[in-house]
Amino acid sequence: MDFKEKIRVIPDFPKPGIRFKDITTLLQDGEAFQAAINTLNDFARKHDADIIAGPESRGFLLAAPMAYALGKGFVPVRKPGKLPGETISQEYSLEYGKDSLEIHKDSVKPGQKVIIADDLLATGGTIGSTIQLFEKLGAEVVGVCFLIELSYLNGREKLKGYDVFSLVQY
Ligand code: 5GP
């Protein structure tokens, strides 16, 4: 399957100069969506994870079907103030300013193995703070996977020591 061909590139979104990788065209193609989840799960199966986690919101679109197909648990990583229970949070830097992500304190047990899935790896800020959240709770992040990796932004540098997999590279 040529996944790259299924991804639409939109120039100047969300601002001038950015070439946005739009995954909605891949998701709306049933065969491509299924093949993408199956390929990500070939990676996930190597690690025998207990939990598949995804950051809000496009990470949900991958991590939830992965977890369902594997018969594993899904954990949402959310923007601040969205989760109803007791949470821990982790800040990360954006191009301008800061943001943070949260998970429930009881979303994983110490020693559980976690795979994190997101649509795209750019600088690695989002996935880096997601990893920190799970490690703070004593879980082991055994792998991280993406539909798309923007190799020229060197996000992998931030992920040294982790098993990283991406379906498509730019
Ligand atoms: P990072 O934290 O690695 O710099 O950025 C990755 C995050 O930004 C991902 O969660 C992803 O959803 C979002 N993102 C940045 N650029 C793009 C893009 O071109 N296409 C898509 N689909 N998401 C993007």
Side-chain angles (χ1 to χ4, degrees), residues 9-137:
V9 179
I10 306 218
D12 300 321
F13 183 90
K15 47 187 181 182
I18 304 227
R19 291 175 57 76
F20 190 83
K21 311 300 180 292
D22 177 22
I23 65 161
T24 65
T25 42
L26 185 150
L27 300 174
Q28 77 197 36
D29 178 327
E31 234 175 276
F33 186 23
Q34 192 172 53
I37 297 299
N38 287 344
T39 310
L40 292 174
N41 271 345
D42 289 341
F43 167 78
R45 259 186 222 101
K46 288 195 304 183
H47 292 290
D48 194 28
D50 305 293
I51 296 288
I52 314 293
E56 183 169 353
S57 57
R58 285 180 293 265
F60 297 173
L61 304 174
L62 303 169
M66 284 175 70
Y68 176 83
L70 293 169
K72 303 294 182 183
F74 165 70
V75 170
V77 180
R78 298 219 58 181
K79 304 255 170 71
K82 302 280 189 188
L83 290 167
E86 245 192 285
T87 58
I88 58 163
S89 83
Q90 179 67 49
E91 266 195 357
Y92 62 103
S93 304
L94 296 172
E95 201 178 344
Y96 303 105
K98 285 186 192 307
D99 210 343
S100 61
L101 289 169
E102 299 185 345
I103 56 176
H104 274 141
K105 271 187 180 160
D106 60 0
S107 61
V108 284
K109 297 183 188 73
Q112 276 194 314
K113 292 183 184 174
V114 179
I115 296 261
I116 301 165
D118 201 2
D119 62 333
L120 183 139
L121 173 64
T123 64
T126 306
I127 215 70
S129 62
T130 301
I131 290 172
Q132 281 177 292
L133 283 170
F134 287 105
E135 291 185 344
K136 273 188 197 168
L137 294 178

